[in-house]
Amino acid sequence: MATKTGKNEPLIRTIKRAELPKNRVIMLRLAALLLALIAGAIFILCIGNNPFAVYTTMVKGAFRSKLAFQGTVKLMIPLLITSLGLTLAFRMKFWNIGAEGQIIMGAVFASYFAIFHGDMPHWLLITVMMIAGMIGGGLTGLLPAYFKAKYNTNETLFTLMLNYIALNFVVFLREGPWADPTSPGYKKFALFPAEARLDKVFGIHAGWIIAIIVLIVVFIYTKFTKQCYEIDVVGESKATASYAGMNVKRIILRTMFLSGAICGLVGMIEVSGNAGTMTEGITRGVGFTAIIVAWLANLKPMSIFVIAALFSIMEKGSSVVESTFGVSEACADVLQGIILFFVIGCEFFIRYKFAVRKKGGKA
C-alpha cells in the first residue's frame, strides 16, 4: 500500500514548516532583500544606468526635501490605514479583496455631505464626513459578510466584484446626479468647499494624525480584546468557535463591518485631504497593495507600520528615479516588482518547504 500511495504522490510537493527560530527568519528576510537588490542591480545595468546611483537616489528621493518627505507621508497614510483594516478580516480567514470598493464607497458617502451640505460648520462637517465614510465602507464590507454567514458564498469573488460595482457607481454619479453644474462641457464632481477640507498639521493634512490613532486602536483591539480572540478562533475553526458558544455569524458581520469601516475612512481622508473632490481614481490601487503589506507584516499592526513606510519610500523614490535618470514609469514599476518578488518569495519559504518523494513513497 505504501508503494501504491507513493506512486500517486507528486515528485515534489510543498509542506508546512515547523515554526522557524526568530534569528533564522530575520536572516532569511535579509538574504531575500540582498538578492532583490542584486537582481534589481542587474536590471538597472541592462537599461544602462548605475545601480548604486539609482538606489541612492531612490532612498534620498523620499527625504531630499521637506516637500518630498510630505509626499512620502501622504502616500503612506492610505496604505497604512487600509492595511490595518484588512488585517481584521484576514485574521478571521475572511479574504477581503474589496478594500478598493470600500474606500470608494467611503469616499462617496463622505462626498455627499461635502457637496450638498458644505455650509455646515467646519468641525461638524469633517466629523459627519468621517462617520459617513466609515458607514459607507462598513456597509460595503457588511454585504459580502452577510451572504458568507447566511449562504457560505465565496467572499473573494464577492468582494472583488463589489470593487467594480463601486467604481461604476462613481461614474454614474459623475455623469448624472452629482455632476458639477458649473462644468456642462466636461462631466466632473464639484470641488469641495474649504469647510470640507482636512486641516494641515506641519504641512501635511491631518490624515496622518488619524492614521496614528487608527494604528493605536487596532493594536489595542488585536492585542488585548476578547473580540479579537473570537476573530482568531473563528479563523482557525468555525466549528470550534460554535462549540465554545461563540455566535459565529455575528462575529463575521461585526468584523467585516469594522474592516470595511476602516477602509471607508481612507476614502474620506483621500477626498477631503488630498483631492478636494471625488474622482474615479481616488484609490490609486491602494486597496490591492495593502493586501501585500498586511501579509508581509504577518497581520501585526506595528509591523504593518514599518512595511507601509518602506513601500511608501520605495514608491516616492521611484518617481524621483524616473525624473532624475529619464527612465520610464514602467522601468520603475519593474524594479519595484523585482524587489516584491523576492520579499514575498521569502515569506513563502519561511512558512513552507519542498518535499521530494523518495523510494517507497515516503517524502
Side-chain angles (χ1 to χ4, degrees):
M1 284 300 294
T3 305
K4 286 182 181 179
T5 305
K7 286 181 179 178
N8 292 330
E9 287 179 357
L11 178 63
I12 301 174
R13 58 195 174 91
T14 56
I15 59 175
K16 195 170 179 64
R17 283 184 185 273
E19 190 171 347
L20 294 175
K22 194 171 183 179
N23 289 341
R24 191 173 174 189
V25 170
I26 293 172
M27 291 301 295
L28 280 171
R29 285 175 176 158
L30 289 174
L33 181 60
L34 180 61
L35 287 172
L37 293 175
I38 292 171
I42 294 171
F43 170 73
I44 294 167
L45 282 170
C46 289
I47 60 175
N49 287 297
N50 184 331
F52 295 103
V54 170
Y55 284 140
T56 302
T57 302
M58 182 178 285
V59 175
K60 286 183 177 179
F63 305 101
R64 62 178 178 173
S65 66
K66 184 179 178 180
L67 195 62
F69 174 74
Q70 290 172 353
T72 303
V73 174
K74 286 178 182 178
L75 290 172
M76 182 180 172
I77 291 167
L79 184 58
L80 172 60
I81 300 176
T82 307
S83 303
L84 291 169
L86 291 177
T87 292
L88 299 181
F90 289 164
R91 288 183 72 126
M92 190 175 61
K93 302 290 194 297
F94 190 105
W95 310 121
N96 181 13
I97 314 299
E100 291 271 310
Q102 290 148 26
I103 293 170
I104 290 171
M105 292 310 296
V108 168
F109 274 54
S111 296
Y112 167 79
F113 290 95
I115 294 172
F116 298 104
H117 300 280
D119 55 348
M120 295 170 63
H122 174 62
W123 284 107
L124 177 60
L125 180 57
I126 291 295
T127 303
V128 170
M129 287 175 64
M130 287 179 63
I131 295 170
M134 294 180 73
I135 291 173
L139 291 176
T140 310
L142 195 61
L143 185 60
Y146 171 79
F147 281 91
K148 175 70 174 180
K150 185 77 173 176
Y151 304 110
N152 196 31
T153 55
N154 186 310
E155 72 273 16
T156 304
L157 291 176
F158 205 132
T159 53
L160 182 62
M161 291 302 102
L162 283 176
N163 291 337
Y164 301 104
I165 293 173
L167 181 59
N168 283 285
F169 183 61
V170 171
V171 176
F172 162 73
L173 292 175
R174 187 199 65 198
E175 298 292 329
W178 289 14
D180 184 1
T182 64
S183 178
Y186 176 72
K187 297 293 185 181
K188 66 182 183 66
F189 293 95
L191 290 173
F192 291 177
E195 288 77 11
R197 301 297 301 270
L198 281 174
D199 295 295
K200 290 190 175 182
V201 182
F202 300 121
I204 309 170
H205 65 74
W208 68 269
I209 298 176
I210 298 172
I212 292 173
I213 293 171
V214 173
L215 174 64
I216 294 169
V217 170
V218 172
F219 173 77
I220 294 171
Y221 184 81
T222 55
K223 192 81 173 174
F224 302 108
T225 65
K226 176 189 173 185
Q227 288 188 4
C228 191
Y229 171 74
E230 292 174 342
I231 290 171
D232 291 338
V233 174
V234 170
E236 289 299 321
S237 170
K238 292 183 177 65
T240 302
S242 298
Y243 183 77
M246 298 179 188
N247 188 329
V248 174
K249 290 183 179 179
R250 185 179 66 191
I251 293 168
I252 292 173
L253 294 173
R254 180 187 68 208
T255 304
M256 268 306 293
F257 181 83
L258 290 174
S259 177
I262 294 173
C263 294
L265 182 60
V266 173
M268 179 271 167
I269 292 171
E270 287 299 286
V271 294
S272 181
N274 275 336
T277 185
M278 183 67 201
T279 65
E280 288 177 63
I282 200 68
T283 65
R284 293 179 287 109
V286 163
F288 295 117
T289 308
I291 296 171
I292 301 172
V293 172
W295 278 110
L296 286 179
N298 204 23
L299 306 181
K300 295 179 180 177
M302 293 305 169
S303 298
I304 286 174
F305 177 84
V306 174
I307 292 175
L310 292 174
F311 266 64
S312 303
I313 291 168
M314 186 166 63
E315 184 176 347
K316 181 63 179 176
S318 295
S319 65
V320 177
V321 168
E322 288 174 37
S323 59
T324 304
F325 293 92
V327 300
S328 71
E329 183 181 351
C331 291
D333 289 341
V334 169
L335 187 57
Q336 289 184 53
I338 290 171
I339 295 171
L340 286 176
F341 175 81
F342 279 92
V343 172
I344 294 171
C346 168
E347 295 303 312
F348 173 84
F349 286 107
I350 287 172
R351 294 177 173 85
Y352 300 95
K353 64 179 179 179
F354 289 114
V356 180
R357 188 184 70 212
K358 296 180 181 177
K359 269 192 173 183
K362 294 179 181 178

